[in-house]
Amino acid sequence: MALTDLLESPQLYVAFQRLIGGARMRSVCIGKLAPKEGERILDIGCGPAYYLPEMPRVDYHGFDTDAVYIEHARAR
């Protein structure tokens, strides 16, 4: 089984991002971006969008090629 097969699971993807520091880097980027309530955000390659709770209520639109990741993001 290849790593890409494992990453088809949104939960494993998020765990992997935390393991390699990707989640921390996204938090740093969100802090520097400093989104404000009501602003619009377009996220291309959003994955499961696990970082949304770190943002204020924004008009968020995420796009990804993986339907499973999109469904996971919508459920959140």
Side-chain angles (χ1 to χ4, degrees), residues 13-52:
Y13 173 83
V14 172
F16 182 72
Q17 288 295 306
R18 289 189 174 125
L19 178 70
I20 65 168
R24 178 162 159 49
M25 184 52 65
R26 280 185 183 79
S27 291
V28 168
C29 290
I30 290 169
K32 288 185 180 208
L33 182 62
K36 308 226 178 343
E37 188 167 331
E39 289 184 331
R40 292 181 177 175
I41 295 179
L42 174 62
D43 186 359
I44 309 237
C46 66
Y50 61 88
Y51 40 82
L52 282 176

Side-chain angles (χ1 to χ4, degrees), residues 7 9 16-17 20 23-24 36-37 53 55 57-58 65-67 70 72:
L7 296 180
S9 162
F16 182 72
Q17 288 295 306
I20 65 168
R24 178 162 159 49
K36 308 226 178 343
E37 188 167 331
M55 291 191 217
R57 294 181 62 92
V58 295
T65 59
D66 192 315
I70 293 296
H72 181 79

Side-chain angles (χ1 to χ4, degrees), residues 7-11 47-48 64-74:
L7 296 180
E8 288 181 11
S9 162
Q11 293 82 3
D64 201 283
T65 59
D66 192 315
V68 174
Y69 284 0
I70 293 296
E71 286 305 313
H72 181 79
R74 282 186 179 143

